[in-house]
């Protein structure tokens, strides 16, 4: 397990930054919709859980695909 060339690492970094920006943007949209609808505490908790499960799945699949299946802990 040697050092990786800089280009794949740079692409992974850029992809992570883009995923973070997209996640923040989607969360802002979700938060505004949630504030307009004003659900109770249970529906808010359920919506938050569903949102984060979706974001976690999208992030995992994206990073797993981009890193050729190498899962690393940073």
């Amino acid at each position: 397990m040697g050092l990786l060339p800089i280009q794949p690492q740079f692409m992974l970094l850029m992809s992570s930054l883009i995923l973070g920006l997209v996640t923040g943007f989607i969360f802002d949209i979700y938060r505004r919709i949630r504030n307009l609808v004003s659900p109770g505490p249970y529906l808010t908790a359920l919506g938050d859980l569903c949102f984060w499960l979706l974001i976690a799945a999208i992030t995992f699949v994206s990073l797993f695909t981009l890193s050729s299946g190498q899962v690393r802990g940073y």
Side-chain angles (χ1 to χ4, degrees):
M1 189 154 138
L3 295 174
L4 292 176
I6 194 74
Q7 185 179 9
Q9 292 181 18
F10 182 74
M11 291 301 294
L12 193 59
L13 174 68
M14 288 294 109
S15 300
S16 297
L17 289 173
I18 291 170
L19 278 168
L21 289 171
V22 169
T23 298
F25 182 71
I26 292 172
F27 181 73
D28 284 342
I29 292 171
Y30 167 68
R31 188 185 58 177
R32 288 182 187 234
I33 291 171
R34 190 181 66 201
N35 287 339
L36 285 174
V37 175
S38 297
Y42 294 115
L43 287 179
T44 298
L46 181 63
D48 288 351
L49 179 65
C50 291
F51 172 80
W52 287 113
L53 287 174
L54 177 68
I55 292 298
I58 290 170
T59 301
F60 178 78
V61 169
S62 299
L63 293 177
F64 189 79
T65 302
L66 289 170
S67 65
S68 302
Q70 294 180 355
V71 179
R72 299 180 222 161
Y74 291 102

